[in-house]
Amino acid sequence: MKKLFSLLALVLFVSVGTMQAQQKKYSVYAAGFYNLENLFDTCHDAGKNDYEFLPDGSYKWNGIKYSHKLRNLSKVLADMGTDMMSKNIGCAFIGVSEVENAKVLTDLLNTEPVSERGYRFAHIEGPDRRGVDCALLYNPRLFDVKDIHLYPFVQELAKDSNYHTRGFLTVKGIMAGEPLAVIVCHLPSRFNGSQYRESGARQMRHLKDSLMKAEPGLKVLVMGDMNDDPMDKSMAYGLGGKRNIKDVKEGDMYNPWWNILAKEGKGTLAYNGSWNLFDQILISHNLVNSDGAKDYSELKYLKHQIFRRDYLIQQEGKYKGNPKRTHAGGVWLDGYSDHLPVVMYLVKEQK
């Protein structure tokens, strides 16, 4: 099957040739996720351990560094999704992690070039002790938000009852005329045991199932920095992420990133010379076509990518080949993030 893509405004025209040539119109939507790596302002938030990111803190975080960080991230966010979408459209929504508060989100969305997108943000202040939260940036022309809720991460062990970490930001709305929910997360780091990420994944699976039970026909994306690879227990068993579409049954999720890491060795962050793929977008079973079908009468998964640009990669020195982050080895690199973004494309046939 041959597909000829040419984009006109929000509509992708696809000429499909098998038995006969027939022109059909498709709407394509890009969804992304990006760990912004410590997007802090320069002021102290009461009750939060943000002292490293103050002018007299260990990172000597000041107005110049903050403005550069905003400018750099703005460029990435504006570029995401443009490999397939129009340069002036980009992603319909982007989940982000490691943002300090609503102020940094406001500053970010007011920074060119992403300011031209007209994004709004969904954010609820969470209990993380460092003060970092998740948020969803969205284009209201493409994703009509109806509800925003932060579900807490519930500790399963009594000894952890006083340990508060990032919850699960859940945003429900309408895209392509269909009900859609996005769960944005940042699971506990690898400094903590695997059981905490497995617990978080089970909680998200229960949340996803509950949302779909309450609203039949709802489609769900779970995105975030999982601090685990796709084949790890949290993703493969806790969240039920399947490697191949043919294995996705009702109640499962599809995790297309598994094969990128396992077969191609590509990832979103590098450590000691090897890649991990912690940044993932998983989708509910009703967003995939099973049994080789090509039915796009409803919103369906089309393709995915690790969003990689030369400017996001350190080109020289000790960290050559790694994502160009903000700081490394105590030195300000004036970079972007220690993670690369990911993008997924969804498609629906125009009637």
Side-chain angles (χ1 to χ4, degrees), residues 8-119:
L8 176 61
L10 303 180
V11 179
L12 187 74
F13 294 89
V14 183
S15 179
V16 181
T18 50
M19 295 297 291
Q20 60 181 353
Q22 179 183 7
Q23 188 178 74
K24 295 183 178 181
K25 296 180 180 180
Y26 294 81
S27 292
V28 177
Y29 301 84
F33 176 79
Y34 193 21
N35 180 324
L36 302 185
E37 193 201 15
N38 296 320
L39 180 56
F40 284 84
D41 59 26
T42 61
C43 303
H44 174 56
D45 279 8
K48 302 296 184 180
N49 184 14
D50 59 359
Y51 298 104
E52 288 182 311
F53 289 91
L54 296 177
D56 58 354
S58 59
Y59 288 108
K60 305 299 180 185
W61 197 242
N62 56 34
I64 292 176
K65 292 181 178 180
Y66 179 53
S67 63
H68 278 233
K69 176 83 170 178
L70 292 172
R71 180 200 63 195
N72 292 348
L73 294 177
S74 173
K75 175 178 175 59
V76 185
L77 294 167
D79 282 352
M80 287 172 65
T82 58
D83 285 342
M84 194 166 192
M85 306 299 295
S86 167
K87 296 296 183 183
N88 62 356
I89 296 175
C91 288
F93 53 79
I94 304 172
V96 294
S97 64
E98 296 197 16
V99 295
E100 184 181 19
N101 50 38
K103 178 184 182 301
V104 301
L105 289 164
T106 300
D107 291 345
L108 177 60
L109 295 187
N110 284 333
T111 302
E112 293 184 349
V114 79
S115 58
E116 299 171 6
R117 290 277 183 268
Y119 282 137

Side-chain angles (χ1 to χ4, degrees), residues 25-29 175-180 216-219 284-289 293-302 345-351:
K25 296 180 180 180
Y26 294 81
S27 292
V28 177
Y29 301 84
M175 191 167 80
E178 300 182 19
L180 186 79
L218 180 72
K219 295 175 177 178
S284 54
H285 72 277
N286 53 0
L287 272 166
V288 296
N289 270 314
K294 298 293 183 181
D295 180 9
Y296 299 109
S297 58
E298 294 184 0
L299 195 64
K300 296 292 183 180
Y301 160 80
L302 180 64
Y345 297 94
L346 305 174
V347 62
K348 183 176 180 179
E349 183 180 342
Q350 293 271 315
K351 299 299 184 182

Side-chain angles (χ1 to χ4, degrees), residues 30-320:
F33 176 79
Y34 193 21
N35 180 324
L36 302 185
E37 193 201 15
N38 296 320
L39 180 56
F40 284 84
D41 59 26
T42 61
C43 303
H44 174 56
D45 279 8
K48 302 296 184 180
N49 184 14
D50 59 359
Y51 298 104
E52 288 182 311
F53 289 91
L54 296 177
D56 58 354
S58 59
Y59 288 108
K60 305 299 180 185
W61 197 242
N62 56 34
I64 292 176
K65 292 181 178 180
Y66 179 53
S67 63
H68 278 233
K69 176 83 170 178
L70 292 172
R71 180 200 63 195
N72 292 348
L73 294 177
S74 173
K75 175 178 175 59
V76 185
L77 294 167
D79 282 352
M80 287 172 65
T82 58
D83 285 342
M84 194 166 192
M85 306 299 295
S86 167
K87 296 296 183 183
N88 62 356
I89 296 175
C91 288
F93 53 79
I94 304 172
V96 294
S97 64
E98 296 197 16
V99 295
E100 184 181 19
N101 50 38
K103 178 184 182 301
V104 301
L105 289 164
T106 300
D107 291 345
L108 177 60
L109 295 187
N110 284 333
T111 302
E112 293 184 349
V114 79
S115 58
E116 299 171 6
R117 290 277 183 268
Y119 282 137
R120 299 176 185 173
F121 66 83
H123 166 259
I124 296 175
E125 188 71 28
D128 185 88
R129 287 185 285 187
R130 288 183 64 235
V132 289
D133 301 319
C134 294
L136 187 76
L137 317 180
Y138 65 94
N139 185 334
R141 294 176 297 153
L142 303 176
F143 184 46
D144 183 13
V145 170
K146 301 296 186 181
D147 182 68
I148 305 168
H149 195 91
L150 181 65
Y151 293 90
F153 185 112
V154 178
Q155 296 292 350
E156 295 180 339
L157 303 176
K159 69 180 183 66
D160 298 318
S161 58
N162 290 324
Y163 177 70
H164 303 291
T165 190
R166 301 167 291 267
F168 313 113
L169 180 72
T170 303
V171 183
K172 294 173 62 179
I174 302 295
M175 191 167 80
E178 300 182 19
L180 186 79
V182 187
I183 301 172
V184 189
C185 71
H186 188 176
L187 293 181
S189 76
R190 288 206 161 186
F191 290 108
N192 300 291
S194 175
Q195 68 268 22
Y196 295 101
R197 293 183 297 283
E198 292 174 44
S199 172
R202 287 194 298 270
Q203 292 180 51
M204 285 193 292
R205 186 173 190 173
H206 176 74
L207 172 57
K208 180 262 299 182
D209 290 344
S210 298
L211 292 171
M212 296 180 74
K213 183 178 180 180
E215 188 173 351
L218 180 72
K219 295 175 177 178
V220 182
L221 292 86
V222 176
M223 60 173 62
D225 177 354
M226 308 302 185
N227 271 307
D228 266 336
D229 288 320
M231 62 285 295
D232 289 329
K233 288 183 178 180
S234 60
M235 297 294 99
Y237 298 102
L239 195 50
K242 300 300 182 182
R243 179 175 183 172
N244 299 304
I245 288 178
K246 65 181 179 62
D247 298 320
V248 178
K249 308 300 181 186
E250 186 171 352
D252 294 332
M253 303 201 80
Y254 176 47
N255 191 340
W257 313 97
W258 191 321
N259 284 325
I260 285 187
L261 181 62
K263 289 185 176 181
E264 303 175 32
K266 297 178 180 178
T268 55
L269 71 160
Y271 181 72
N272 286 339
S274 62
W275 287 91
N276 291 101
L277 212 164
F278 291 174
D279 306 272
Q280 301 162 46
I281 304 173
L282 292 84
I283 52 178
S284 54
H285 72 277
N286 53 0
L287 272 166
V288 296
N289 270 314
S290 58
D291 301 323
K294 298 293 183 181
D295 180 9
Y296 299 109
S297 58
E298 294 184 0
L299 195 64
K300 296 292 183 180
Y301 160 80
L302 180 64
K303 63 182 293 186
H304 62 285
Q305 66 175 154
I306 296 174
F307 184 80
R308 188 181 177 104
R309 293 287 190 272
D310 286 345
Y311 68 77
L312 290 171
I313 305 298
Q314 189 73 36
Q315 299 297 320
E316 58 187 7
K318 179 180 179 181
Y319 304 103
K320 182 179 179 179

